[in-house]
Amino acid sequence: MLNPAPSGGGPLARLHSAWRRNILLRLGFGIFVSVALSTAIYTTYVMQTLKSEAEQNVRERAERLAAVLSQALARPLFDINSAAVSSVVDASGATPEVLVLRVLAPNGAELASYVSPLREPVAAIKVHRDISFTDARRSYPVGSIDLAFSRQQIDQDLRRQIYNTVAANLLLALGIVLSIFVVGRRAARPFADIQSGLEKLTRGETDIKLSGIGREDQVGRLSGAVLRFRDTLTRLRDAEQELRELNSDLELRIAARTGELTSSMQQLGDSQAKLQTILDTALDAVVRMDLAGRIVGWNAQAEQIFGWSREEALGMALDKAIIPARYRYDHRRGMQRYLAGGGAAPVLDARIEVVALRRNGEEFPIELAITQVKSEGQDSFEFCAFIRDISDRREREQKLVNANVAAEAANIAKSEFLANMSHEIRTPMSAVIGMAYLALRTEMSPKQHDYISKIHRAALSLLGIINDILDFSKIEAGRLEVEAIPFALEEVLAHVSSVTAQRAADKHLRYLVSTAPEVPRYLVGDPLRLGQVLVNLANNAVKFTADGELELRCEVIHADVREGKATLRFTVRDTGIGMTQQQKAKLFQAFSQANGSTTRHYGGTGLGLSISQQLVRLMGGRIEVESEPDQGSSFHFELQFTLSDVAAVAVQAAVHHGPVGDLMLQASPGRAARVLLAEDSPDNQDVTVELLELQGIVVEVVANGREALDRLQAADPGTYDLVLMDLGMPVMNGHEATRLLRQDSRFSELPVIALTSHALAGVEARCMEEGMQDYITKPVDPQRLYSVLSRWLGVSMKAIPPLPPRADAGLVDPHLALGELRALLADFSGDSVDYFGSVQASLATLLPPVTMTRLASHMMHYEFEAAGKLLAAVAHEQEKP
């Protein structure tokens, strides 16, 4: 039961006493106040919500109405149709919510209006909307409207809903309060027992009685809890002493742990300071960026490179600080794509070169490396960039590029100079070689014959040097190319043997040419350059071999018939002087030989092996050498060829030389062949005319292409059987003359053979395209000239051998001279050379020209032993019956 209120005192005193003593009164009053506050709050919330929704609905209706009116008025306003505008405005009066409607011109003048007849003031929503008319090309502003839309009905509905809500909440609160008073009176008794028991417990008494024990409701559970509280309080009193003791020990441990944490924090601070010091001393800028693109790390080198201090840079957007404006959009796109999981970023974990921006707006090149660094969060990370300013390096590279370009230009200029000088030298050389060739076919005294022979050999040797220099200039200028045509390998090897065998025979060397049985006969490649390399290597072997043997060997390294490929090894081996490791190191350098005495003793320019190495590299191989001093040398290289057949070789020969049976022209019957020579050099005119007249050919000479055309057009088309056309002539060169000649159909069958000192790649192909039939380079090789003329004139021509020297009176007896010279050579006497010079003319009457040439070569090089062996062999032949 509730305690009764005292009877004394007035109503307020009794109410105050009841308030203090009765919890149910306070609980009921509290619930009532709570419900009242809740009702007020809820009512306020509902009012605001309903008001916002109502106002939004009214505004949307007003906006829709304004939009409809704008569409309806756009055309009338554009057409300045006042009647239509007034009609639309009057029609809006059918909507009761429309209070005011004004239609305004673009300048603000009122064109039409409508005002509601209501006299009481009403709340309204105002809408202003611009009106424009749009045709197919553009939009035109035609005016605007001002609309006032009534909200009276909305406000009435809102007040009615608020009244209903407040009334319902008040009735609910009163019902709750009455229910609490009815139930509370019955539930107060067990709580009084619990209060009494708790008061005993506060006094230390444990003998308490509770009427709620045994009940299953909350009162029973609360009574049981009071009993358990009593038991717990007893145990707590026992444990209090133990807790005090444990608390003292815990305080000691906390103090120790606090000291450890303080020390760890100090070490962590020192480590961070050391790390920042290391970063500040780094030679590269170290910049860290978070996922939002802001700078969170900036070392001292970054301050120097970019011009921003650390305090200014931290927190700035990275793209605005160091990235040029034209790259910022790509940077942001790349960040968004990477953070969205769009795949790996190509700039991460790689070193790249990009352009950066300094604080003063200057752009400069940098070397950039970006890594991803794990931060303190579970899934958080940062980007760390290592940046190096490479402006100086780029400047040095540019200077190096400029220097390289200048060096290449100088190299090309040098090569062009060498090529031009070769052309200029070939013209007089053609006269020297040609005149010497012709002079050797005339009757001369032995001394004259000896002099002219030496001139001829020296000129041919000089021509070989010029050819080497020209090839070298082509290689340096990058204009030397190799062909890929079908050819017969045995013909190349036979040519190499025929060119180099005589020199080997002159030195009594054993010359071996061996080809493995499995080597294919027909290949696709450049036979001319392959032969040139092998000739250079063979001549080099002969030059440095005094006795012994020389071997040229070809063998198969790998062959694949299905793919039509074969790899061949070519080896040139000799038993000569050999080389040291130092000499081999500079063997293939241009203009270099083993040592200075090599050039003086053996001659040569040092270009042959360098050119051969370059040619082999162009063909896809490399020359290797194995050599020991006094043990000889072995040069070898490997090349891959495509397999060919005899038919392809025959077709190539027909294309290059022309099939004799089909393409050659016969001279007119009953007369000698007639040739028109177009040549501007008088000396070369004389040489070529005499070479042709030796074969019985009638020659007419003109000095330029213009004269050649005039002579041909003035004569009958069958007057001349062939034209020898020099390419570099004044007035009109050979190229222009040939093009004009081929435009005249009367001379379409007349063979035109090019004569030129330009031994450059592409000239022959150009001549063929312009309508020439063949190509001869200067100095003119008589054998080559006669071969070409034989093909196109149909006349058999052979080189005329030189005449032996005329026997002079008073010469020393050749047999006595031969014996005396053999005796001097046997003693290795230094007088041998002088004696040979004095009796050379006499010996020429006894010995064949070939033997005399070999003997003169041995004496010129002081090869006394080889000269003695040669004369012994001659004497043995003469003693035979």
Side-chain angles (χ1 to χ4, degrees):
M1 288 181 64
L2 293 174
N3 293 330
S7 56
L12 292 178
R14 289 194 298 272
L15 180 60
H16 182 265
S17 177
W19 177 265
R20 293 180 59 188
R21 297 173 60 85
N22 196 335
I23 190 174
L24 292 179
L25 179 60
R26 295 197 299 272
L27 179 61
F29 182 77
I31 292 175
F32 179 80
V33 173
S34 298
V35 172
L37 291 175
S38 300
T39 302
I41 294 172
Y42 176 73
T43 303
T44 302
Y45 169 75
V46 170
M47 181 179 66
Q48 292 296 331
T49 302
L50 294 176
K51 183 178 179 180
S52 298
E53 291 178 354
E55 186 173 353
Q56 181 65 25
N57 292 333
V58 172
R59 184 167 293 278
E60 289 179 357
R61 289 181 60 192
E63 291 288 349
R64 286 197 297 272
L65 180 60
V68 171
L69 292 174
S70 297
Q71 293 178 359
L73 291 171
R75 184 68 190 195
L77 288 174
F78 180 76
D79 294 338
I80 315 178
N81 189 343
S82 302
V85 172
S86 299
S87 176
V88 172
V89 171
D90 294 340
S92 64
T95 304
E97 288 85 355
V98 176
L99 299 178
V100 178
L101 174 62
R102 290 186 177 87
V103 180
L104 306 177
N107 58 2
E110 183 177 304
L111 300 178
S113 64
Y114 166 78
V115 178
S116 175
L118 295 176
R119 302 197 176 187
E120 298 179 359
V122 178
I125 294 176
K126 296 181 180 181
V127 177
H128 177 81
R129 190 176 189 90
D130 293 329
I131 304 173
S132 60
F133 177 75
T134 303
D135 59 9
R137 293 177 297 176
R138 55 176 291 186
S139 295
Y140 302 91
V142 295
S144 61
I145 60 173
D146 287 332
L147 176 65
F149 200 81
S150 173
R151 50 179 296 171
Q152 181 179 10
Q153 184 64 36
I154 299 299
D155 293 340
Q156 292 175 356
D157 295 340
L158 181 61
R159 284 192 296 271
R160 185 170 56 254
Q161 292 178 1
I162 292 173
Y163 295 153
N164 294 337
T165 302
V166 171
N169 283 297
L170 289 177
L171 291 175
L172 176 63
L174 290 176
I176 292 174
V177 171
L178 293 176
S179 299
I180 290 174
F181 275 103
V182 172
V183 175
R185 291 181 65 85
R186 300 186 61 183
R189 178 64 181 271
F191 287 104
D193 294 341
I194 292 173
Q195 178 182 1
S196 175
L198 290 175
E199 289 176 352
K200 288 183 179 181
L201 288 176
T202 58
R203 294 192 298 270
E205 300 176 8
T206 58
D207 184 15
I208 58 175
K209 295 181 181 180
L210 302 175
S211 59
I213 294 297
R215 294 175 58 171
E216 295 181 359
D217 56 5
Q218 288 84 351
V219 175
R221 291 195 293 272
L222 181 58
S223 300
V226 171
L227 293 179
R228 290 193 297 274
F229 175 70
R230 180 194 62 185
D231 297 337
T232 301
L233 184 61
T234 303
R235 291 193 299 271
L236 285 176
R237 289 174 180 172
D238 296 335
E240 183 177 0
Q241 185 63 34
E242 296 180 6
L243 182 60
R244 289 194 184 97
E245 296 175 358
L246 292 174
N247 187 41
S248 299
D249 183 60
L250 181 61
E251 288 178 354
L252 294 176
R253 292 185 180 182
I254 291 175
R257 182 59 178 166
T258 302
E260 294 177 359
L261 289 176
T262 303
S263 176
S264 299
M265 292 296 292
Q266 182 65 33
Q267 293 177 0
L268 179 60
D270 294 341
S271 298
Q272 291 179 345
K274 290 179 181 178
L275 177 60
Q276 186 61 44
T277 302
I278 293 173
L279 292 179
D280 288 340
T281 57
L283 297 179
D284 293 343
V286 181
V287 179
R288 290 185 296 115
M289 180 188 73
D290 61 13
L291 298 182
R294 295 185 300 270
I295 297 174
V296 295
W298 190 263
N299 71 341
Q301 189 65 22
E303 294 180 346
Q304 297 180 11
I305 291 178
F306 296 104
W308 297 94
S309 66
R310 181 181 290 116
E311 292 74 14
E312 293 172 330
L314 294 179
M316 287 183 64
L318 181 73
D319 55 350
K320 294 182 179 179
I322 67 173
I323 298 179
R326 62 181 183 277
Y327 299 128
R328 291 172 185 170
Y329 176 74
D330 294 334
H331 167 75
R332 298 190 191 102
R333 285 284 304 276
M335 283 285 296
Q336 293 172 359
R337 187 166 52 251
Y338 180 75
L339 296 177
V347 299
L348 284 180
D349 302 322
R351 192 175 295 277
I352 61 175
E353 293 185 5
V354 296
V355 177
L357 181 70
R358 301 190 200 274
R359 182 175 184 175
N360 59 6
E362 175 190 355
E363 294 186 5
F364 65 102
I366 62 171
E367 187 176 72
L368 174 66
I370 303 176
T371 59
Q372 182 177 306
V373 180
K374 185 77 174 177
S375 59
E376 296 179 358
Q378 180 71 21
D379 298 323
S380 180
F381 57 87
E382 296 176 348
F383 297 101
C384 184
F386 299 88
I387 302 170
R388 178 174 299 173
D389 186 353
I390 59 173
S391 301
D392 294 339
R393 188 176 76 188
R394 282 286 182 84
E395 184 178 356
R396 291 193 298 270
E397 290 176 353
Q398 187 60 43
K399 290 180 179 179
L400 183 61
V401 169
N402 295 337
N404 189 35
V405 170
E408 289 181 357
N411 190 37
I412 293 173
K414 180 187 69 175
S415 301
E416 291 290 344
F417 171 76
L418 291 176
N420 292 333
M421 288 304 298
S422 172
H423 167 258
E424 295 299 327
I425 294 173
R426 279 175 178 274
T427 299
M429 282 296 299
S430 179
V432 172
I433 295 175
M435 290 296 184
Y437 176 84
L438 293 173
L440 288 174
R441 280 140 188 85
T442 62
E443 186 177 354
M444 294 180 291
S445 66
K447 182 170 290 189
Q448 292 171 336
H449 189 279
D450 179 54
Y451 290 164
I452 299 301
S453 298
K454 290 180 179 178
I455 291 173
H456 190 250
R457 287 196 301 272
L460 292 177
S461 178
L462 180 58
L463 179 61
I465 294 174
I466 293 172
N467 288 334
D468 284 345
I469 293 175
L470 182 60
D471 282 343
F472 183 72
S473 69
K474 292 178 185 176
I475 292 172
E476 284 198 332
R479 289 196 273 172
L480 184 65
E481 299 179 355
V482 294
E483 293 183 315
I485 60 174
F487 69 95
L489 180 61
E490 58 186 11
E491 293 181 3
V492 175
L493 297 179
H495 169 71
V496 174
S497 176
S498 65
V499 171
T500 58
Q502 183 59 46
R503 296 188 62 188
D506 292 343
K507 301 180 72 170
H508 299 286
L509 300 177
R510 185 184 179 194
Y511 197 161
L512 304 176
V513 179
S514 60
T515 305
E518 64 273 14
V519 173
R521 296 181 60 189
Y522 303 107
L523 306 170
V524 176
D526 193 329
L528 177 63
R529 295 303 181 183
L530 176 60
Q532 181 180 350
V533 172
L534 294 176
V535 167
N536 279 340
L537 294 178
N539 284 336
N540 191 68
V542 172
K543 181 192 300 184
F544 296 103
T545 304
D547 54 27
E549 66 179 18
L550 165 70
E551 181 183 11
L552 170 61
R553 183 171 68 253
C554 178
E555 54 192 339
V556 177
I557 300 300
H558 175 72
D560 192 331
V561 179
R562 291 179 299 177
E563 294 186 1
K565 303 284 186 180
T567 302
L568 306 183
R569 170 179 287 183
F570 297 89
T571 305
V572 177
R573 181 185 59 82
D574 63 67
T575 57
I577 62 175
M579 290 174 288
T580 64
Q581 291 295 330
Q582 292 78 7
Q583 292 169 344
K584 287 194 296 183
K586 61 179 182 178
L587 185 62
F588 296 106
Q589 297 177 7
F591 303 104
S592 67
Q593 293 195 349
N595 52 52
S597 63
T598 302
T599 302
R600 293 191 298 271
H601 187 70
Y602 295 100
T605 62
L607 278 178
L609 289 180
S610 176
I611 294 173
S612 298
Q613 181 71 284
Q614 296 291 340
L615 291 175
V616 171
R617 286 178 176 174
L618 286 175
M619 291 186 285
R622 177 182 175 84
I623 300 178
E624 303 289 346
V625 60
E626 299 174 1
S627 180
E628 295 293 337
D630 301 324
Q631 299 297 320
S633 303
S634 175
F635 292 81
H636 59 85
F637 59 91
E638 297 177 5
L639 296 177
Q640 186 182 69
F641 296 94
T642 301
L643 302 180
S644 184
D645 52 37
V646 65
V649 174
V651 171
Q652 177 63 29
V655 171
H656 187 69
H657 299 296
V660 175
D662 296 335
L663 299 179
M664 71 180 183
L665 300 177
Q666 296 289 344
S668 300
R671 66 174 178 83
R674 299 188 65 180
V675 173
L676 178 63
L677 172 64
E679 170 66 63
D680 63 312
S681 172
D683 292 337
N684 287 333
Q685 289 176 359
D686 296 341
V687 170
T688 308
V689 168
E690 288 207 32
L691 288 175
L692 297 181
E693 288 179 347
L694 285 176
Q695 300 293 338
I697 298 175
V698 178
V699 185
E700 294 186 18
V701 181
V702 293
N704 55 65
R706 182 74 268 168
E707 293 180 6
L709 286 178
D710 294 342
R711 184 73 61 88
L712 288 169
Q713 292 173 352
D716 185 76
T719 301
Y720 300 100
D721 300 302
L722 185 140
V723 177
L724 288 175
M725 183 74 73
D726 185 23
L727 297 182
M729 295 181 292
V731 182
M732 180 181 291
N733 60 34
H735 296 288
E736 183 66 20
T738 303
R739 285 196 297 269
L740 294 176
L741 181 64
R742 290 310 181 200
Q743 294 176 4
D744 192 338
S745 60
R746 295 179 300 165
F747 301 99
S748 59
E749 299 297 329
L750 179 63
V752 179
I753 310 300
L755 281 174
T756 180
S757 298
H758 288 283
L760 299 174
V763 175
E764 182 176 3
R766 179 183 175 186
C767 292
M768 300 300 130
E769 292 175 358
E770 292 171 347
M772 300 184 188
Q773 275 67 40
D774 222 318
Y775 176 87
I776 300 174
T777 59
K778 298 178 183 179
V780 176
D781 179 11
Q783 187 61 48
R784 166 68 176 162
L785 175 64
Y786 294 153
S787 174
V788 172
L789 293 178
S790 297
R791 180 180 304 114
W792 296 105
L793 293 177
V795 179
S796 178
M797 300 181 189
K798 295 183 179 180
I800 300 175
L803 295 177
R806 182 180 64 247
D808 290 342
L811 293 178
V812 179
D813 182 78
H815 294 284
L816 294 176
L818 181 62
E820 182 65 20
L821 180 60
R822 290 184 62 191
L824 292 173
L825 292 174
D827 294 335
F828 291 92
S829 173
D831 297 332
S832 301
V833 177
D834 295 336
Y835 183 75
F836 173 74
S838 64
V839 300
Q840 187 172 0
S842 298
L843 293 176
T845 62
L846 177 65
L847 302 179
V850 174
T851 303
M852 281 298 298
T853 302
R854 292 172 58 189
L855 180 60
S857 176
H858 291 320
M859 298 305 296
M860 181 175 63
H861 294 95
Y862 297 92
E863 297 171 348
F864 295 156
E865 184 178 359
K869 292 180 180 179
L870 176 61
L871 294 180
V874 171
H876 180 71
E877 290 293 330
Q878 292 178 349
E879 292 173 358
K880 289 183 180 180

